Amino acid sequence: MRYAYLGPAGTFTEAALLGVEGAREAERRPVSSVPVALAAVRAGEVDAAMVPIENSVEGGVTATLDAVATGSELRIVREALVPISFVLVAAPGTALADVRTVSTHSHAWAQVRGWMDEHLPGADYVPASSTAAAALSLLPGAAEPGFEAAVCSPVVVEQHPELEVLAEDIGDNRAAVTRFVLVARPDAPLPPRTGADRTTLVIPLWEDRAGALMEILEQFATRGVNLSRIESRPTGNFLGEYFFSVDVDGHLHDARVADALMGLRRVCPSTRFLGSYPRADHKVATVARHHSDGAFREAAAWVAALQGHGAHGPGAAGAGPVPA
């Protein structure tokens, strides 16, 4: 197997990838951005890519939501949850009092703002492509980075002990978690149903009118399918045109989910299926009896029996055409 991931080495994304069986021995290619990682999958340069999709503090990772919603289709085949903790690092010999400018990824910066306001209230922020990239710019021998410190994962310090650690555990929320997804091409095998699954969809808002979103949501509500995440994103075509990125509890092979997707496809033919895969937290969906697979099978059998009786029962031969 060949994998791409948001690099460089030492990112939380690499930590998520290393949790995949066989990934430590496989070819792992660090890349500069989520779109580059997914482009490598689409081009067949790698078999799959690990990318962040959601953070418990910051919400959806827009670069990933946008990249999987456009272009040729992809499939999510796995997810991983990584607890997030941060350290503040600098070049050797740097003290906290020397820091005037700090660099890191935007999602990391949002998660340490409270600590920064308390300990470095005057520090300016410099965006970086990843937490690890910012930290590696401070290594001895690197070009002048334009900042004195960086926020990164403790894994970077383990790999590069020459970095000066100015502060540890600086996250504002110690329970912060990021969800990562392993993305492959659409011909990848669909992971089997486990009972604790998630299905991800992209649903364009096909018509800007009152009730359009309600018509989408009722496809799930009437079948007892819970939405665990729904986010709107602009399509980029023109102002006011959006799509919805949605996670639902359940698997494509669950009758309630399959029936909801059929209903959704009728009202929104451009819906994109991104995959059904096991939840990393193993949380089993709560399903009412009348939304169970057995209830759907029983209802389908009842309708089929009625249709069969209508086709062969009294008066069927003389029946007229079915109205359109």
Side-chain angles (χ1 to χ4, degrees):
M1 291 289 290
R2 302 162 299 163
Y3 296 104
Y5 68 93
L6 180 61
T11 59
F12 293 107
T13 313
E14 185 189 31
L17 177 57
L18 291 176
V20 177
E21 184 178 358
R24 290 183 181 274
E25 296 75 35
E27 177 187 335
R28 302 191 305 276
R29 180 189 303 181
V31 299
S32 59
S33 69
V34 168
V36 171
L38 298 183
V41 176
R42 288 181 168 116
E45 298 169 5
V46 296
D47 299 298
M50 184 69 78
V51 293
I53 194 170
E54 181 184 12
N55 178 265
S56 60
V57 176
E58 280 296 283
V61 179
T62 57
T64 300
L65 299 182
D66 295 346
V68 297
T70 58
S72 58
E73 287 201 15
L74 294 165
R75 288 287 184 274
I76 299 172
V77 296
R78 181 189 178 106
E79 70 173 20
L81 300 178
V82 177
I84 304 299
S85 64
F86 298 104
V87 296
L88 183 69
V89 299
T94 305
L96 188 63
D98 300 327
V99 177
R100 299 290 180 269
T101 309
V102 180
S103 181
T104 192
H105 189 273
S106 59
H107 270 245
W109 181 251
Q111 294 178 68
V112 300
R113 285 298 301 273
W115 189 95
M116 290 293 169
D117 289 343
E118 180 179 352
H119 297 89
L120 291 172
D124 293 325
Y125 166 56
V126 176
S129 60
S130 71
T131 55
L136 297 183
S137 298
L138 297 168
L139 289 173
E144 174 58 41
F147 48 87
E148 294 81 31
V151 176
C152 67
S153 159
V155 174
V156 177
V157 179
E158 294 173 9
Q159 297 175 347
H160 300 279
E162 61 270 36
L163 288 168
E164 190 87 35
V165 179
L166 304 181
E168 296 180 299
D169 198 14
I170 65 173
D172 299 332
N173 186 338
R174 295 186 177 181
V177 174
T178 294
R179 181 164 70 99
F180 297 84
V181 289
L182 189 64
V183 183
R185 288 183 291 281
D187 57 354
L190 185 71
R193 180 173 59 171
T194 68
D197 304 290
R198 194 189 310 274
T199 295
T200 300
L201 307 166
V202 174
I203 309 170
L205 188 60
W206 73 99
E207 190 176 3
D208 186 14
R209 59 171 173 80
L213 176 57
M214 180 62 70
E215 195 168 357
I216 291 173
L217 297 178
E218 70 182 2
Q219 305 304 319
F220 302 106
T222 57
R223 295 163 175 89
V225 178
N226 181 56
L227 274 66
S228 57
R229 182 185 61 85
I230 178 169
E231 298 184 57
S232 64
R233 293 291 303 152
T235 64
N237 294 331
F238 56 84
L239 189 65
E241 184 175 276
Y242 290 85
F243 68 84
F244 294 97
S245 177
V246 174
D247 287 336
V248 305
D249 292 344
H251 192 282
L252 178 62
H253 288 162
D254 292 328
R256 70 186 188 283
V257 175
D259 203 64
L261 263 61
M262 285 190 287
L264 189 61
R265 182 76 174 185
R266 292 199 308 273
V267 300
C268 187
S270 52
T271 294
R272 175 172 289 198
F273 173 76
L274 288 179
S276 292
Y277 46 93
R279 292 179 61 122
D281 60 6
H282 308 295
K283 182 180 178 181
V284 177
T286 301
V287 182
R289 189 211 64 79
H290 59 285
H291 292 311
S292 67
D293 281 13
F296 273 90
R297 285 194 298 268
E298 181 182 356
W302 177 68
V303 171
L306 293 175
Q307 292 171 333
H309 177 76
H312 304 292
V322 178

